Amino acid sequence: MTAHEPRPARTVSRRISDHAAVVAIATDPETFSSAVSRHVQVPNGLDGEAHRQARAMLDPFLDAQRVAASTPAFVRVAQQLLEQLAGREAFDAVSELGARYAVRAQSAWLGWPATIEDELLQWVADNRAATRSGDRTRMAGVAKRFDAIVRARVQERMGTDAPDDLTTALVRTRDADGQPLPQEVLVSVLRNWTGGDLASLALCIGVVVAWLTRHPEHAERLAAADDDELDATLDEILRIDDPFLANRRIATRDTEVGGCPIAQGEVVALSWRQANVDPARFPSPYAFDPHGNASDNLVWGIGPHVCPGRPLATLQLRVLTRELLRTGSVRTAEEHGGIERETPPAGGYRRFMAAIERHDA
Ligand code: HEM
């Protein structure tokens, strides 16, 4: 289970959907613990000092400057993929563009071989289906398969002839006491950086493509926008239709939020998606206002568990969007297989058929 896989291991007794309450809970980790799962989850299942230490050790891997070194690799991946898809009558923006780009870009970042691309893609598809089914045994089977993929990558890097890549750097990391990280911690970290993220990124790409097909009037401005402007636009698109639905917390004591009592041991789901369109915070929740809404946008969470992968995910999304805008104009191709929304616990689209009309055609 990862930060990005909202699988219901413990029963959620309440869904918190108003913005003020979500912020209050996410920023009060003493009262609302993140230790909701029985499994090792680093850093997302940790609290207090252990969480701070884990973030201090791991965040540098995801730092904006460090991830920027992967930009040329992401551009290559995006260009190759768009070149193939632009020649097609139609393609699914979630599985054929989103998931494939996510797997290739993330593998490039981690130093994972292209030979496992199909295995990872199959895993993303199976994981989405298992999550949708709500069947715990099926989800556990899929999670076990992913652990095996990750364990093999760690194992390959135990010897002296390990490749010089980010995964090896993680395997060689020492904790605050100078000790190597236990294998189950390495697996949990890599699972967090990949397992859930591949699906989240694919869903984000589906939402961005869908928005571009409906708002062609923004295409020219975005094609010429600088990085900050494009990033602000992407954040706002994802606020309006947040595909990353919720995360859980467990109350450490009897308390109350916004006048509602919450008992010790109660598990609450923080709905980023609903909070992001709460009319009490955003008077016109579906109106596009990147700069006006930025400070209250909860796409990346808030508080001590705020997403450390934001710079990486933003870079990957920005590169793909830029290359897409450069290649042509994107339009819906609903007649070739349709458009279908995803169902909770995932958001966004299950399928969004689109086509690219090349600028140079
Ligand atoms: C693709 C779009 C992404 C979205 C929408 C997203 C969103 C989020 C959100 C809302 C949280 C807060 C969870 C909470 O408070 O319980 C979170 C946490 C986290 N994210 Fe992301 N994320 C994305 C991509 C990434 C990437 C690329 C990585 C790393 C490679 C990553 C790694 C993590 C980790 C490790 C946590 C847990 C942090 C902690 O508990 O301290 N995320 N993410």
Side-chain angles (χ1 to χ4, degrees):
M1 170 131 182
T2 80
H4 296 159
E5 281 174 277
R7 287 194 232 144
R10 282 209 219 201
T11 312
V12 171
S13 63
R14 203 170 312 181
R15 175 162 291 273
I16 311 291
S17 54
D18 80 80
H19 191 283
V22 167
V23 171
I25 293 174
T27 53
D28 181 3
E30 278 79 33
T31 312
F32 293 97
S33 159
S34 288
V36 191
S37 169
R38 290 184 308 275
H39 303 284
V40 176
Q41 294 186 319
V42 182
N44 48 305
L46 303 175
D47 291 320
E49 190 48 32
H51 177 252
R52 268 189 293 279
Q53 281 188 14
R55 289 287 300 244
M57 179 177 72
L58 298 169
D59 283 7
F61 286 98
L62 294 158
D63 170 81
Q65 270 192 330
R66 191 156 176 187
V67 299
S70 297
T71 307
F74 298 160
V75 171
R76 258 193 318 275
V77 168
Q79 285 177 343
Q80 279 171 358
L81 203 46
L82 289 166
E83 194 51 44
Q84 289 163 4
L85 295 176
R88 299 241 310 255
E89 203 168 25
F91 62 89
D92 176 15
V94 184
S95 62
E96 293 177 285
L97 176 60
R100 208 167 267 280
Y101 174 73
V103 164
R104 287 188 189 170
Q106 206 66 351
S107 295
W109 175 64
L110 287 162
W112 291 11
T115 46
I116 62 165
E117 179 179 326
D118 288 339
E119 193 182 358
L120 284 172
L121 274 171
Q122 189 57 51
W123 180 83
V124 173
D126 294 348
N127 186 46
R128 285 178 72 200
T131 306
R132 218 176 275 142
S133 75
D135 177 342
R136 296 258 180 93
T137 318
R138 194 168 158 194
M139 288 192 270
V142 175
K144 216 165 143 194
R145 242 174 67 208
F146 194 71
D147 273 15
I149 301 178
V150 174
R151 258 174 229 287
R153 307 287 80 72
V154 171
Q155 215 50 51
E156 285 161 7
R157 288 162 175 82
M158 286 301 180
T160 45
D161 57 346
D164 178 18
D165 59 27
L166 191 114
T167 306
T168 301
L170 175 70
V171 168
R172 294 191 175 155
T173 298
R174 298 293 175 259
D175 67 13
D177 302 321
Q179 295 304 312
L181 305 181
Q183 169 115 187
E184 64 170 358
V185 171
L186 291 171
V187 171
S188 172
V189 171
L190 286 168
R191 210 196 294 132
N192 254 323
W193 285 358
T194 50
D197 171 60
L198 297 175
S200 304
L201 196 63
L203 292 170
C204 287
I205 290 167
V207 167
V208 170
V209 169
W211 188 88
L212 289 172
T213 65
R214 290 177 187 134
H215 297 278
E217 73 280 9
H218 285 279
E220 213 172 305
R221 175 184 68 82
L222 288 177
D226 63 16
D227 288 353
D228 289 346
E229 189 59 29
L230 187 48
D231 293 356
T233 297
L234 292 169
D235 279 357
E236 178 67 345
I237 294 171
L238 297 175
R239 179 194 67 78
I240 292 172
D241 187 3
D242 191 345
F244 186 79
L245 300 191
N247 285 104
R248 293 168 300 152
R249 298 290 189 268
I250 182 163
T252 58
R253 61 177 175 85
D254 290 347
T255 182
E256 62 100 330
V257 172
C260 284
I262 295 176
Q264 180 178 4
E266 229 181 287
V267 175
V268 297
L270 307 184
S271 174
W272 310 116
R273 178 176 173 86
Q274 286 171 300
N276 262 333
V277 289
D278 175 2
R281 179 61 45 140
F282 305 100
S284 305
Y286 298 100
F288 178 76
D289 182 7
H291 297 290
N293 293 329
S295 59
D296 291 320
N297 190 332
L298 295 177
V299 166
W300 308 101
I302 191 167
H305 291 270
V306 69
C307 182
R310 179 178 181 172
L312 176 64
T314 301
L315 173 63
Q316 291 173 335
L317 275 174
R318 185 206 304 144
V319 164
L320 183 70
T321 308
R322 253 198 214 302
E323 293 305 322
L324 179 59
L325 291 165
R326 217 171 261 159
T327 307
S329 5
V330 64
R331 59 166 176 80
T332 56
E334 219 176 324
E335 65 285 9
H336 294 280
I339 287 171
E340 202 183 334
R341 292 292 301 188
E342 192 45 283
T343 44
Y349 295 88
R350 187 170 301 182
R351 186 172 58 253
F352 191 97
M353 296 307 293
I356 298 170
E357 275 161 25
R358 302 187 69 107
H359 294 315
D360 60 7

